[in-house]
């Protein structure tokens, strides 16, 4: 049996994408060093407990904020409602580690907020108004107000698709407005909420920058310390494997919940919701409820960063910044182009060959999105070291390890899911009969892809590139581990300055990251506007 | 010479549930055949097998006395020299009308252009040559789709419900025009339809398929006569029109 390029490529990619993860997991079958007894005796419980506290706290807060705001903007008309609809997604542009840095600068004993209170009320230096933020509750707030948009987005889409008749039936059965919300509205979209929540939890357990800055011991900081502090890569991998198993469990829950997510919008008798006009105190309350998360998650950090950048660091636009920004952008562009191209090739293969094995292969390729960057970086580094030692060492030392190849590979594996879903959506808009006709006109394989599909996928391809660029620019742990010597990106630049408590220096790269992070949000907002069934509402 | 011959062709997607059962037919050069039958009877599958877009489970397909598909041989779609017109028209939205028609034509740019322009004139849509598909009406799009399929000078033109989405007066007009062009150019064609009138007004031969089996075949006149005489299952077809 002969295999064509369209069948071999997905298989080759599958091996490359799965190998780093498999390398990490394979460590569980190896020897366990003495460091495990140290970990077990002193820190493992703390890693588990802190991670559990974070997950629990963040889950509760994002559910309250995400679902509550989504319900308000979908069912009520109040001051600023039209702006809140899209502005509630803005905090997605701020990575948790940047909010953590700005929180420290704002709320530390001598941070901007405490200084302001002291100045306004003429209080002594020993007076501290705001509580300390470098602890688990502080981290819960940081994660919740940067990640709640995941829950907000899915809840809003699900609420929009809810039929008025069902909620009205609830009212006639004696439920008041609040009871309609928590006894009917929320339970009906539960699968969607769980799906969004799992994404939040995945991001929380994967984070390194914020918890490291707050000096909270979690699994990710533990893996980092075991590797760089104890110089024990095997134990670090074994620790990472536990985190990976947890992440995979979350993916399975997310996929399972997404499978059932359509029951709320499968109603044949769909009737769009009527908006209730709020006045007086309810109007003010609704405004405040929606404004607060945007203020904490987006406006506050952006204002603080701009204040630092403009007041204390006017020379931020220096050579170092330009070099770092250039490094970041060209790296992000390479990764984005490769990701989008691979997504086109894989999705084309599935369509062209209509082969079930290719579909299964493709779904495995998207798993990288859920693998924490730190784990991916360890796996990629081990894989490249193996290649260097096995094949390249004859000619030179460590050609692949420590080069940007590893970095690009990790970015591609991590961001492939974004590209794939975008290109897949683009393909769904191309009628399959176009392919049939093109084939009868002697156009197949590469010609079909280049002459027919690519021109039609132009927008999807660009969208995919933008999404990956913004994802790559924010990525921190994998970049910290895999970057070549003396090679900084904006995220690393921010991390290093923040670690040295040089917040003013960290401001400019942070602003650049937030600005780029706004791109997918604009795209997302446009997509939601054009996709919803009750768009006029 | 026989332009197309299908021998004992059967096909299934799920084993035990045949979509086509032992279908056989013959078509001479320049003849127009209509395949009639209700939705889901297997007629589109038969067309896709002739085009090479599906591989038959058993049986064989011959063109100009050469095997193009059987258990041992498969000539790829792109090498069969077959034209395809589908109900959705499937014009390439990113190309102008003239580029759509030039798409499958080989030769120098001037030759390709003159071939495409000749066909656009034939179908009276040459004034839209530099428009995009979304800028013309559905009837004009259908004319362009037929012109595009004819442009590479195919051995056989396959048309799957070609007038399915058009209104009645436009359908009547296009049937007459299309038959005249096909006959004038001596093009062998197969039209798949569930519309009895398509078969009567356009074709020389008709076969009727029900549940994947050919239940009638003959000239358009024979079929009309038979259906009138014996009332054989045409009611089911008529009900679908």
């Amino acid at each position: 049996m002969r295999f064509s390029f369209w069948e071999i490529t997905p298989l080759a990619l599958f091996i490359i994408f799965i190998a780093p993860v498999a390398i990490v997991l394979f460590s569980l079958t190896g020897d366990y060093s003495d460091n495990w007894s140290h970990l077990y005796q002193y820190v493992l419980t703390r890693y588990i407990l802190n991670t559990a506290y974070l997950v629990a706290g963040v889950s509760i807060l994002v559910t309250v904020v995400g679902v509550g705001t989504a319900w308000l903007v979908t069912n009520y008309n109040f001051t600023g409602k039209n702006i809140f609809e899209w502005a509630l997604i803005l905090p997605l542009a701020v990575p948790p580690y940047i909010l953590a840095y700005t929180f420290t600068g704002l709320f530390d004993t001598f941070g901007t907020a405490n200084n302001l209170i002291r100045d306004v009320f003429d209080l002594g230096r020993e007076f501290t108004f705001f509580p300390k933020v470098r602890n688990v509750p502080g981290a819960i707030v940081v994660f919740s107000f940067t990640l709640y948009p995941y829950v907000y987005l899915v809840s809003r889409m699900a609420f929009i698709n809810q039929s008025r008749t069902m909620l009205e039936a609830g009212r006639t059965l004696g439920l008041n407005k609040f009871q309609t919300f928590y006894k009917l509205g929320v339970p009906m979209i539960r699968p969607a909420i769980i799906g969004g929540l799992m994404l939040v939890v995945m991001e929380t357990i994967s984070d390194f920058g914020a918890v490291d800055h707050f000096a909270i011991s979690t699994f990710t900081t533990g893996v980092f310390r075991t590797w760089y502090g104890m110089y024990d890569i095997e134990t670090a991998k074994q620790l990472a494997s536990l985190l990976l198993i947890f992440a995979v469990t979350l993916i399975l829950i997310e996929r399972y919940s997404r499978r059932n997510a359509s029951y709320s919008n499968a109603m044949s008798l769909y009737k769009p919701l009527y908006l209730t006009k709020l006045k007086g105190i309810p109007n003010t309350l609704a405004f405040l409820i929606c404004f607060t998360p945007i203020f904490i998650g987006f406006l506050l950090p952006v204002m603080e960063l701009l204040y630092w950048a403009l007041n204390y660091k006017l020379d931020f636009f220096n050579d170092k910044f330009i070099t770092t920004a250039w490094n970041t952008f060209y790296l992000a562009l390479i990764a984005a182009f490769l990701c989008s191209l691979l997504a086109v090739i894989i999705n084309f293969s599935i369509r062209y060959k209509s082969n079930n094995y290719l579909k299964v292969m493709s779904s495995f390729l998207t798993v990288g999105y859920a693998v924490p960057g730190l784990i991916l970086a360890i796996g990629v580094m081990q894989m490249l070291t193996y290649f260097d030692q096995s094949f390249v060492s004859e000619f030179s030392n460590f050609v692949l390890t420590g080069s940007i190849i590893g970095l690009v590979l990790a970015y591609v594996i991590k961001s492939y899911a974004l590209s794939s879903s975008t290109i897949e959506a683009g393909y769904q808009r191309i009628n399959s009969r176009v392919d049939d006709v093109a084939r009868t006109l002697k156009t197949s394989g590469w010609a079909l892809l280049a002459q027919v599909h690519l021109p039609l996928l132009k927008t999807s391809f660009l969208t995919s590139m933008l999404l990956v660029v913004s994802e790559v620019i924010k990525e921190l742990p994998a970049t910290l581990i895999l970057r070549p010597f003396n090679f900084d990106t904006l995220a690393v630049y921010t991390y290093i300055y923040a670690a040295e408590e040089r917040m003013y220096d960290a401001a400019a790269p942070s602003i650049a990251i937030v600005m780029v992070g706004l791109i997918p949000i604009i795209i997302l907002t446009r997509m939601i506007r054009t996709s919803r069934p009750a768009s006029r509402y | 010479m026989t332009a197309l011959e299908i021998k004992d062709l059967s096909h299934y997607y799920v084993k035990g549930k045949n979509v086509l059962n032992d279908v056989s037919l013959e078509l001479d050069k320049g003849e127009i055949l209509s395949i009639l039958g209700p939705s889901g009877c297997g007629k589109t599958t038969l067309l896709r097998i002739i085009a090479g877009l599906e591989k038959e489970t058993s049986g064989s397909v011959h063109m100009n006395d050469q095997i193009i598909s059987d258990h041992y041989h498969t000539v790829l779609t792109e090498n069969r020299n077959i034209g395809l017109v589908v109900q959705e028209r499937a014009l390439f939205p990113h190309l102008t009308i003239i580029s759509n028609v030039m798409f499958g034509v080989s030769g120098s740019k001037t030759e390709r252009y003159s071939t495409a322009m000749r066909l656009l004139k034939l179908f009276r849509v040459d004034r839209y040559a530099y428009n995009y598909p979304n800028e013309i009406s559905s009837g004009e799009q259908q004319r362009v789709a037929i012109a595009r399929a004819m442009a590479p000078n195919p051995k056989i033109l396959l048309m799957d419900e070609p007038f399915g989405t058009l209104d009645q007066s436009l359908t009547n007009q296009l049937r007459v025009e299309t038959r005249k062009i096909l006959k004038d150019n001596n093009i062998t064609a197969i039209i798949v339809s569930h519309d009895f009138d398509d078969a009567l007004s356009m074709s020389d031969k008709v076969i009727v398929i029900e549940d994947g089996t050919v239940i009638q075949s003959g000239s358009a006149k024979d079929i009309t006569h038979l259906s009138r005489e014996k009332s054989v299952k045409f009611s089911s077809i008529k009900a679908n029109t």
Side-chain angles (χ1 to χ4, degrees):
Chain A
M1 195 173 176
R2 279 175 57 216
F3 289 103
S4 71
F5 171 85
W6 309 109
E7 283 148 335
I8 291 169
T9 310
L11 181 66
L13 277 180
F14 172 78
I15 294 167
I16 295 170
F17 276 39
I18 294 296
V21 180
I23 288 170
V24 173
L25 279 177
F26 197 65
S27 65
L28 287 175
T29 62
D31 294 333
Y32 290 78
S33 77
D34 293 341
N35 284 326
W36 262 106
S37 63
H38 165 83
L39 287 174
Y40 187 72
Q41 237 177 327
Y42 300 106
V43 286
L44 192 61
T45 314
R46 200 159 64 233
Y47 292 162
I48 294 170
L49 282 180
N50 280 344
T51 308
Y53 289 149
L54 272 179
V55 167
V58 172
S59 300
I60 294 167
L61 201 50
V62 292
T63 308
V64 171
V65 176
V67 178
T69 51
W71 177 260
L72 281 176
V73 295
T74 314
N75 290 281
Y76 296 95
N77 207 345
F78 54 94
T79 310
K81 180 248 177 202
N82 288 338
I83 296 170
F84 289 136
E85 265 180 20
W86 57 266
L88 278 160
I89 318 171
L90 287 174
L92 266 189
V94 182
Y97 60 87
I98 288 185
L99 189 63
Y101 302 157
T102 48
F103 259 42
T104 314
L106 273 164
F107 301 116
D108 256 2
T109 310
F110 295 102
T112 314
N114 276 320
N115 283 340
L116 192 71
I117 296 280
R118 280 189 211 107
D119 289 348
V120 170
F121 297 103
D122 197 21
L123 300 163
R125 284 174 62 81
E126 69 286 351
F127 182 83
T128 310
F129 180 78
F130 290 100
K132 289 192 184 331
V133 289
R134 289 193 177 201
N135 46 35
V136 173
I140 289 174
V141 172
V142 163
F143 285 120
S144 300
F145 284 96
T146 46
L147 301 175
Y148 80 84
Y150 284 116
V151 174
Y152 166 78
L153 274 170
V154 291
S155 306
R156 174 146 167 72
M157 292 303 280
F159 281 141
I160 283 173
N161 289 325
Q162 250 174 12
S163 182
R164 190 181 76 217
T165 43
M166 285 187 291
L167 301 178
E168 283 173 349
R171 295 298 298 276
T172 60
L173 292 169
L175 300 182
N176 64 31
K177 285 187 177 176
F178 188 64
Q179 285 170 327
T180 311
F181 165 64
Y182 78 88
K183 283 191 172 173
L184 261 184
V186 174
M188 280 195 296
I189 65 154
R190 199 171 46 212
I193 298 174
I194 292 171
L197 202 55
M198 288 308 109
L199 291 175
V200 171
V201 174
M202 266 191 266
E203 292 280 341
T204 307
I205 61 164
S206 309
D207 176 82
F208 170 74
V211 284
D212 182 62
H213 191 68
F214 281 0
I216 300 168
S217 299
T218 62
F219 262 101
T220 44
T221 53
V223 172
F224 217 80
R225 277 180 210 146
T226 311
W227 188 0
Y228 284 92
M230 297 177 175
Y231 301 102
D232 184 352
I233 180 78
E234 281 309 308
T235 306
K237 280 197 291 185
Q238 286 158 350
L239 207 51
S241 299
L242 299 180
L243 188 59
L244 187 59
I245 290 167
F246 188 45
V248 170
T249 312
L250 292 176
I251 306 173
L252 295 176
I253 296 173
E254 196 265 339
R255 295 250 161 116
Y256 182 76
S257 62
R258 210 152 36 131
R259 219 173 44 165
N260 297 329
S262 60
Y263 71 64
S264 63
N265 57 21
M267 295 294 147
S268 54
L269 293 171
Y270 173 81
K271 279 188 184 171
L273 300 163
Y274 284 138
L275 297 186
T276 309
K277 175 102 180 120
L278 296 179
K279 287 176 188 166
I281 294 173
N283 180 56
T284 314
L285 270 177
F287 176 87
L288 288 175
I289 289 170
C290 291
F291 180 74
T292 308
I294 304 169
F295 180 73
I296 299 175
F298 185 77
L299 295 175
L300 197 62
V302 168
M303 285 191 307
E304 180 70 3
L305 289 171
L306 284 172
Y307 172 70
W308 286 340
L310 298 174
N311 281 293
Y312 295 98
K313 199 66 193 167
L314 287 169
D315 63 335
F316 66 85
F317 208 63
N318 52 26
D319 284 353
K320 168 104 171 130
F321 178 79
I322 292 168
T323 313
T324 311
W326 167 242
N327 285 348
T328 312
F329 280 106
Y330 89 72
L331 210 56
L333 279 175
I334 294 171
F337 181 76
L338 281 175
C339 247
S340 309
L341 187 69
L342 291 175
V344 167
I345 291 174
I346 299 298
N347 281 286
F348 176 78
S349 303
I350 293 170
R351 187 174 162 117
Y352 188 55
K353 291 286 172 189
S354 14
N355 188 326
N356 275 342
Y357 118 88
L358 291 176
K359 273 187 197 159
V360 175
M361 207 64 81
S362 171
S363 65
F364 271 105
L365 295 180
T366 58
V367 168
Y369 189 71
V371 179
L374 184 68
I375 296 174
L376 201 56
I378 296 172
V380 166
M381 180 171 258
Q382 292 275 289
M383 186 169 86
L384 295 184
T385 310
Y386 170 79
F387 273 108
D388 271 337
Q389 286 171 347
S390 309
F391 307 110
V392 187
S393 59
E394 304 262 327
F395 321 104
S396 172
N397 287 328
F398 297 109
V399 173
L400 299 172
T401 316
S403 71
I404 66 161
I405 292 171
L407 212 45
V408 171
L409 183 60
Y411 290 155
V412 170
I413 296 173
K414 186 120 183 80
S415 313
Y416 176 78
L418 289 172
S419 286
S420 184
S421 56
T422 314
I423 300 294
E424 197 184 331
Y427 259 122
Q428 276 166 6
R429 288 193 290 271
I430 306 176
N431 192 327
S432 63
R433 304 307 297 269
V434 166
D435 297 23
D436 293 346
V437 171
R439 289 176 79 168
T440 61
L441 295 169
K442 303 180 181 68
T443 306
S444 61
W446 284 106
L448 177 63
L449 180 59
Q451 291 172 31
V452 180
H453 288 181
L454 273 182
L456 297 175
L457 288 172
K458 209 161 47 188
T459 315
S460 305
F461 194 90
L462 286 174
T463 310
S464 149
M465 282 198 61
L466 285 173
L467 290 173
V468 177
V469 163
S470 74
E471 182 72 14
V472 165
I473 283 174
K474 284 192 267 182
E475 213 293 326
L476 180 63
T479 317
L480 268 178
I481 292 174
L482 291 167
R483 72 198 163 118
F485 183 68
N486 224 4
F487 181 96
D488 288 342
T489 64
L490 288 172
V492 173
Y493 194 31
T494 310
Y495 170 79
I496 292 170
Y497 282 132
E500 294 169 0
E501 303 290 336
R502 292 165 64 184
M503 298 304 181
Y504 307 142
D505 296 286
S510 298
I511 290 170
I513 292 170
V514 173
M515 289 301 157
V516 177
L518 282 174
I519 295 169
I521 289 164
I522 295 164
I523 296 169
L524 211 60
T525 312
R526 282 181 54 189
M527 279 161 63
I528 292 167
R529 276 200 185 143
T530 52
S531 70
R532 63 194 193 213
S535 54
R536 67 201 160 95
Y537 295 87
Chain B
M1 190 179 10
T2 311
L4 177 78
E5 188 180 6
I6 289 171
K7 288 182 185 170
D8 308 324
L9 191 135
S10 294
H11 188 68
Y12 60 76
Y13 295 105
V14 180
K15 204 166 185 176
K17 291 185 180 174
N18 272 23
V19 186
L20 292 169
N21 295 305
D22 287 327
V23 174
S24 296
L25 61 90
E26 265 188 46
L27 198 59
D28 288 331
K29 173 77 182 156
E31 270 190 321
I32 303 174
L33 168 78
S34 277
I35 303 174
L36 273 176
S39 300
C41 71
K43 55 192 191 300
T44 297
T45 305
L46 178 59
L47 203 75
R48 289 177 64 80
I49 288 172
I50 298 169
L53 296 165
E54 301 272 354
K55 175 74 181 160
E56 71 282 348
T57 311
S58 65
S60 59
V61 183
H62 307 246
M63 269 171 69
N64 298 334
D65 298 329
Q66 287 189 327
I67 296 172
I68 57 164
S69 188
D70 67 0
H71 186 65
Y72 306 101
H73 309 86
T74 306
V75 177
L76 294 175
T77 303
E78 46 273 31
N79 300 328
R80 289 190 183 192
N81 200 7
I82 276 173
L84 178 66
V85 179
V86 293
Q87 187 177 7
E88 302 89 333
R89 299 178 278 282
L91 295 178
F92 305 131
H94 61 297
L95 299 178
T96 57
I97 298 303
I98 186 80
S99 302
N100 260 284
V101 182
M102 284 165 70
F103 191 87
V105 187
S106 48
S108 71
K109 199 176 175 185
T110 324
E111 285 165 359
R112 293 166 62 218
Y113 178 83
S114 64
T115 307
M117 223 32 193
R118 181 179 61 78
L119 281 159
L120 287 179
K121 278 181 186 153
L122 203 61
F123 281 94
R124 294 186 286 112
V125 280
D126 50 311
R127 65 181 183 282
Y128 303 118
Y130 295 98
N131 284 82
Y132 283 89
N134 65 332
E135 295 169 340
I136 61 176
S137 71
S138 47
E140 286 152 357
Q141 286 178 11
Q142 195 59 286
R143 289 188 173 97
V144 174
I146 301 171
R148 179 180 65 179
M150 282 172 60
N153 197 20
K155 288 177 188 160
I156 297 176
L157 185 65
L158 306 176
M159 297 201 267
D160 188 2
E161 305 275 6
F163 313 120
T165 57
L166 306 178
D167 64 53
Q168 197 55 50
S169 65
L170 193 60
T171 301
N172 293 340
Q173 189 190 342
L174 268 176
R175 277 185 193 134
V176 176
E177 279 178 19
T178 310
R179 178 175 165 88
K180 186 175 183 313
I181 292 168
L182 293 176
K183 283 291 167 194
D184 289 351
N185 292 274
N186 198 28
I187 293 171
T188 314
I190 297 178
I191 300 162
V192 156
S193 178
H194 63 257
D195 189 337
F196 188 71
D197 294 332
D198 274 347
L200 272 186
S201 56
M202 288 196 68
S203 39
D204 308 309
K205 277 184 177 175
V206 177
I207 64 164
V208 182
I209 296 183
E210 198 163 279
D211 295 332
T213 307
V214 177
I215 56 165
Q216 288 181 34
S217 66
S219 71
K221 277 182 188 170
D222 291 342
I223 295 290
T224 322
H225 176 71
L226 265 174
S227 66
R228 229 179 264 133
E229 291 291 304
K230 297 182 183 174
S231 305
V232 263
K233 302 197 179 179
F234 255 103
S235 52
S236 61
I237 300 161
K238 284 288 243 183
N240 274 291
T241 60

